[in-house]
Amino acid sequence: QGQLVESGGGSVQAGGSLTLSCTASGTAYSLISQCMGWFRQTPVMEREGVASINRNYDTYYADSVKGRFTISSDNAKNTLSLRMDSLKPEDTGMYYCAPAGPNAYCYYPVAARADFGDWGQGTQVTVSS
């Protein structure tokens, strides 16, 4: 059906920047037909929707990252990116890309598609103070 592979994580100091990438293969994760997003999780926090984007490049963000993170996509290459600026220690977590919402349209708040369970390995982001 498809695969999601995240990359680009790392360790940075507060105030630093990172850009995450997600490569989506298979028709199940086509940006043309599916809103896609970024999610993050820590050992003490449930998975949180961070940002989403649809084929028209409409974007949605969690309040906690608005103004600091920028989601983008390349529909032709079926790739998703998340530029993270002004990073804070509370941004630390494992970041995943996944379908966000039931169809091609994105909604607020950012939430994973209800039937999705094929999470990738994720990419770790660690922000030190």
Side-chain angles (χ1 to χ4, degrees):
Q1 289 219 352
Q3 187 178 18
L4 298 165
V5 179
E6 302 90 351
S7 63
S11 297
V12 297
Q13 290 192 326
S17 299
L18 283 173
T19 298
L20 308 183
S21 297
C22 169
T23 300
S25 62
T27 57
Y29 307 131
S30 169
L31 285 159
I32 299 299
S33 59
Q34 173 67 60
C35 169
M36 294 292 291
W38 285 96
F39 301 82
R40 65 186 179 189
Q41 187 173 22
T42 71
V44 296
M45 184 180 71
E46 291 186 358
R47 191 172 283 127
E48 172 191 24
V50 173
S52 63
I53 188 168
N54 65 15
R55 63 187 177 189
N56 296 324
Y57 306 107
D58 300 319
T59 57
Y60 293 83
Y61 296 94
D63 289 344
S64 59
V65 306
K66 201 171 294 183
R68 300 187 298 119
F69 289 11
T70 303
I71 188 172
S72 60
S73 65
D74 184 328
N75 291 352
K77 296 181 179 178
N78 220 35
T79 58
L80 199 66
S81 296
L82 185 69
R83 169 74 179 185
M84 305 185 296
D85 295 314
S86 303
L87 282 162
K88 303 175 180 180
E90 50 263 44
D91 294 318
T92 294
M94 188 70 77
Y95 283 70
Y96 304 86
C97 61
N103 50 40
Y105 301 98
C106 293
Y107 302 90
Y108 180 85
V110 179
R113 197 177 69 198
D115 63 347
F116 179 73
D118 194 19
W119 296 90
Q121 293 297 309
T123 186
Q124 177 68 37
V125 172
T126 303
V127 184
S128 58
S129 57

